[in-house]
Amino acid sequence: MTESRENLLLLPGLHGMGSLFPPFIAAMPPQWTLKIYEYPCDAVLSYDEWTIKVRDALPEREPLVIVAESFSGPIAVKIAAAPPPNLRAIVLTGTFLSNPVAPLPHWLVRAVKPLLRIAPVPRFLLRRFLLSPTSPPELVRGVYQAVDSLPKSTMAERIVSTCTVDVREEYRRLTVPTLVLIGRQERLIRRRAVAEFAHLRADVQVAEIDAPHLIVESAPQASVAAIADFLRRLPRPEV
């Protein structure tokens, strides 16, 4: 089946770069066009501030689909809660609505921030929580390089922001068609946080992909197939 033209904006994970997206992009139909919004390595902003910046960068007229990974999921939800007229849909992949790791008190999360500023993330933790034992070597190297390129201070601030964010109310108010991609091998996001998507909105489409946390990088063909099927079922935008 020939795919219709789609305009996608990709929002990356916590590292803020699009360097891990090439396999996902290569699997897309040629009719799709895309842009990647990258976060500067030294930029430390709140979720509200990131939402404003991303919203300001959105095209004003052409129908748009936002694909938001992990860290960026709450940003896409915030935008979609007060959507621009041309926002056709959002796709949330390997992400969360509230604290993804553990129900820790905010004061404790902030207390460990100084440690995050000086201690590098161990390689075995990246492999365990972001990838799988069968992840290709080039993806493993790409993840290590992406994490190494991010200043520890930036990493610490972004990790803390994920542990204190809560966009469940915005998610409940969504009127934009939404697809949630969930990895069957997910180890980073706690089960309760994953379950919130279907629990809070029974009308949201959920697709399970046989992949770890980095879903679209680990299973690009399956991810594109799920997104294409979702978009195919939507009403065509007015030209």
Side-chain angles (χ1 to χ4, degrees):
M1 180 180 295
T2 301
E3 299 297 340
S4 59
R5 182 176 182 272
E6 299 288 353
N7 299 301
L8 275 61
L9 177 66
L10 306 186
L11 303 182
L14 186 142
H15 55 86
M17 297 176 290
S19 58
L20 301 179
F21 282 140
F24 177 49
I25 295 171
M28 293 181 182
Q31 295 88 349
W32 292 6
T33 60
L34 63 95
K35 295 180 180 179
I36 301 173
Y37 187 96
E38 295 191 321
Y39 310 134
C41 287
D42 59 347
V44 176
L45 301 175
S46 69
Y47 268 110
D48 286 341
E49 291 168 330
W50 278 125
T51 300
I52 293 172
K53 282 191 168 293
V54 175
R55 184 186 290 274
D56 288 344
L58 298 180
E60 295 182 359
R61 295 184 179 179
E62 61 188 25
L64 178 69
V65 177
I66 295 178
V67 180
E69 178 180 58
S70 192
F71 174 84
S72 293
I75 298 172
V77 170
K78 282 178 170 288
I79 291 173
N86 61 327
L87 184 59
R88 175 161 152 77
I90 62 172
V91 177
L92 307 174
T93 171
T95 188
F96 46 88
L97 301 171
S98 61
N99 190 328
V101 182
L104 301 176
H106 290 186
W107 66 265
L108 181 57
V109 173
R110 294 188 176 93
V112 301
K113 184 163 60 174
L115 179 61
L116 296 173
R117 287 175 173 270
I118 59 175
V121 180
R123 293 283 196 260
F124 79 92
L125 289 180
L126 294 176
R127 186 68 181 261
R128 173 171 177 77
F129 291 107
L130 303 183
L131 302 164
S132 74
T134 59
S135 294
E138 58 270 21
L139 177 56
V140 176
R141 288 193 299 269
V143 170
Y144 293 167
Q145 291 168 1
V147 172
D148 288 345
S149 67
L150 196 65
K152 294 183 182 64
S153 58
T154 304
M155 175 77 74
E157 293 290 346
R158 291 182 184 174
I159 289 175
V160 168
S161 68
T162 66
C163 293
T164 56
V165 72
D166 190 337
V167 294
R168 287 175 289 188
E169 285 305 316
E170 290 92 333
Y171 180 75
R172 288 189 180 98
R173 299 199 305 268
L174 291 185
T175 58
V176 174
T178 302
L179 170 66
V180 181
L181 299 184
I182 294 174
R184 294 195 186 102
Q185 304 173 44
E186 177 65 69
R187 291 180 176 176
L188 178 63
I189 302 175
R190 60 194 175 103
R191 292 184 180 180
R192 184 173 179 179
V194 171
E196 285 182 336
F197 289 103
H199 177 70
L200 297 176
R201 291 293 300 269
D203 59 327
V204 166
Q205 184 170 327
V206 176
E208 291 191 3
I209 306 291
D210 188 18
H213 179 68
L214 295 180
I215 299 172
V216 302
E217 295 89 346
S218 301
Q221 289 82 12
S223 299
V224 168
I227 294 171
D229 181 68
F230 166 68
L231 296 177
R232 199 180 296 126
R233 298 168 186 267
L234 299 182
R236 294 307 311 162
E238 295 182 3
V239 179

